Amino acid sequence: MGCCCSSVPLVDPVWNQPEWLSEYKTGPYSTTKSDGKATIRYSSEGLASKETCPSVTVPALFLEAKEKRGDKVALRLELPTPEFSNGKWAPPIPLTNTRSYDSPSESKEPCWHTWTWNQYYDIVWKAAKSLIAIGVQPHDAVNVYGFNSPEWFFSQMAAIFVGGKVAGIYPNDNAAQVQFKSLHSGGTVAMVENASKLKKFADNIDKLPDLKAIVVWSATEESAELKREAGDPVPVYTWKSFMDLGSDVKDSAVQERIDGQDPGHCCGLIYTSGTTGKPKAVMISHDNLLFAGSVFFNVAKLGQTEKEHRIISYLPLSHIAAMMLDTVAPMYMTARAPAWCSVAFARPYDLKAGSIGDRLRSVKPTIFLGVPRVWEKNF
């Protein structure tokens, strides 16, 4: 999975028991084909056994979470984003100051907007219909480029629902890196945060022959479509207009895409950041993600009691750590543990300003992952 770290002591004899290791009997064990399928291997006992972690697809796990805890909060975001200027940021918002994202309000004061698991699933389903309307095919890639947000989650899951794969781009990647990753992944749709992110694609539009459309999730007004030198257009949509594209697509079209998926299919491309030369794309399967999520909770013994767990999403979602911890692990806990899990999004400036501590005090996360740079700069 590119790079990883483990808190499991390798000297612990329990990890060396043969029955806890998967068996290599039939291959292939890996693939580099876009539509390839990895063989699922189980151990006879332990965390990798079929009994403990049955292999399913991400949409199937998502449906489990929705059906079990659909009315529980899945996502939280401060809206409008509290200001940051002259080196100062607005004070944290108490988690009790909240309202549903679809509830009208006359107040313009920032508060926590929430999405339940039901609302989250329904938005992803609708976004998946719009991707089908644009022309995204099974095993195609969808690029997502921006800071952590509900739209990042919706875009990622919609790409997976239609049988494609998400190919995230680091928020601070430059135009050349954006062009390389989009071209290399064969990105057919780019979901971007704002005008500056859009420009990185616009400047390279003639070098991205597979790109069919771009969605700017923070935009409120329609942008003029982009045109390649050959004259063919690349439409640019707001989030609202994008979500309306699939109104004529039948639900059965999405279900057919979901039914055609296998746990061994690739659902994500993770571009490495620490290797020499051009970034390498690591293919992540449904089973790969779900097993990592299951091990995380089983080893840490989280979610054993019926209560809410909370995570703060702030690390790049284009990296496997955040993809697993922020998007898949909460789904796994909500679907299969006595507990359920919600994700609160940090402010875009939290890491740079050193204000992530305010989000900790406000959200009071029960699970928090920090790389060394985070601890050094913020605590």
Side-chain angles (χ1 to χ4, degrees):
M1 293 193 298
C3 59
C4 63
C5 57
S6 174
S7 60
V8 177
L10 299 180
V11 295
D12 189 338
V14 73
W15 300 101
N16 295 324
Q17 295 185 40
E19 62 270 20
W20 279 58
L21 304 176
S22 59
E23 297 181 0
Y24 288 75
K25 288 185 176 180
T26 59
Y29 303 118
S30 63
T31 179
T32 57
K33 296 181 179 180
S34 177
D35 60 350
K37 183 170 63 175
T39 302
I40 307 301
R41 304 186 305 275
Y42 292 105
S43 62
S44 57
E45 295 180 23
L47 301 182
S49 66
K50 191 171 185 178
E51 180 180 2
T52 301
C53 187
S55 183
V56 299
T57 63
V58 171
L61 185 72
F62 199 160
L63 182 60
E64 285 184 46
K66 166 186 161 59
E67 291 181 338
K68 185 178 180 182
R69 299 285 187 182
D71 61 334
K72 298 297 185 183
V73 172
L75 308 174
R76 290 184 173 91
L77 175 69
E78 293 175 301
L79 285 176
T81 302
E83 294 183 358
F84 174 75
S85 61
N86 298 321
K88 296 182 179 180
W89 56 86
I93 300 173
L95 216 56
T96 53
N97 185 358
T98 183
R99 71 179 183 91
S100 175
Y101 87 100
D102 58 356
S103 298
S105 175
E106 296 180 358
S107 174
K108 294 183 179 180
E109 292 297 315
C111 68
W112 286 99
H113 289 229
T114 62
W115 290 257
T116 65
W117 283 96
N118 280 330
Q119 292 168 329
Y120 180 10
Y121 188 91
D122 291 346
I123 291 171
V124 168
W125 189 277
K126 190 174 180 180
K129 292 171 70 173
S130 293
L131 289 179
I132 291 175
I134 289 174
V136 177
Q137 299 298 314
H139 311 297
D140 279 355
V142 173
N143 300 129
V144 188
Y145 182 33
F147 186 71
N148 305 25
S149 69
E151 290 83 4
W152 220 112
F153 280 41
F154 302 151
S155 300
Q156 171 180 266
M157 290 300 164
I160 295 173
F161 268 48
V162 301
K165 55 181 75 73
V166 60
I169 296 173
Y170 281 89
N172 59 352
D173 274 353
N174 60 34
Q177 292 167 324
V178 170
Q179 185 271 332
F180 172 80
K181 292 178 181 179
S182 182
L183 178 65
H184 184 267
S185 65
T188 52
V189 176
M191 316 291 286
V192 306
E193 179 181 4
N194 52 33
S196 67
K197 299 289 192 291
L198 169 63
K199 189 176 186 302
K200 304 281 178 62
F201 279 90
D203 290 347
N204 291 286
I205 198 64
D206 285 305
K207 300 176 183 178
L208 300 172
D210 298 318
L211 196 62
K212 299 177 185 293
I214 301 175
V215 180
V216 186
W217 69 68
S218 68
T220 55
E221 297 182 1
E222 297 292 338
S223 301
E225 64 184 15
L226 304 176
K227 282 194 175 182
R228 297 189 174 94
E229 285 186 5
D232 52 315
V234 178
V236 179
Y237 301 104
T238 64
W239 182 261
K240 182 180 184 304
S241 61
F242 163 71
M243 291 293 282
D244 291 338
L245 292 177
S247 57
D248 294 331
V249 176
K250 295 182 179 179
D251 287 338
S252 59
V254 179
Q255 191 60 54
E256 184 178 340
R257 296 288 187 92
I258 292 174
D259 293 343
Q261 297 178 39
D262 185 275
H265 280 143
C266 176
C267 68
L269 296 177
I270 302 296
Y271 280 89
T272 58
S273 59
T275 52
T276 57
K278 296 291 187 182
K280 314 301 187 291
V282 182
M283 299 175 69
I284 305 295
S285 70
H286 296 257
D287 179 70
N288 190 176
L289 273 175
L290 269 55
F291 177 67
S294 71
V295 170
F296 175 79
F297 283 113
N298 280 297
V299 171
K301 298 192 180 302
L302 294 167
Q304 303 301 308
T305 58
E306 193 171 350
K307 67 176 184 178
E308 180 190 34
H309 280 266
R310 293 177 299 281
I311 289 174
I312 296 177
S313 180
Y314 72 102
L315 294 172
L317 290 165
S318 49
H319 193 282
I320 186 58
M323 184 182 187
M324 188 278 288
L325 184 65
D326 295 8
T327 64
V328 177
M331 194 180 297
Y332 184 90
M333 177 185 282
T334 302
R336 297 188 175 176
W340 62 96
C341 191
S342 63
V343 178
F345 294 94
R347 298 176 187 177
Y349 53 76
D350 272 344
L351 273 186
K352 185 175 181 180
S355 54
I356 192 71
D358 275 4
R359 242 48 61 216
L360 288 168
R361 286 182 283 273
S362 176
V363 176
K364 296 180 175 61
T366 58
I367 304 165
F368 184 78
L369 172 67
V371 296
R373 174 175 171 267
V374 173
W375 303 110
E376 293 165 359
K377 184 176 177 61
N378 292 271
F379 303 100

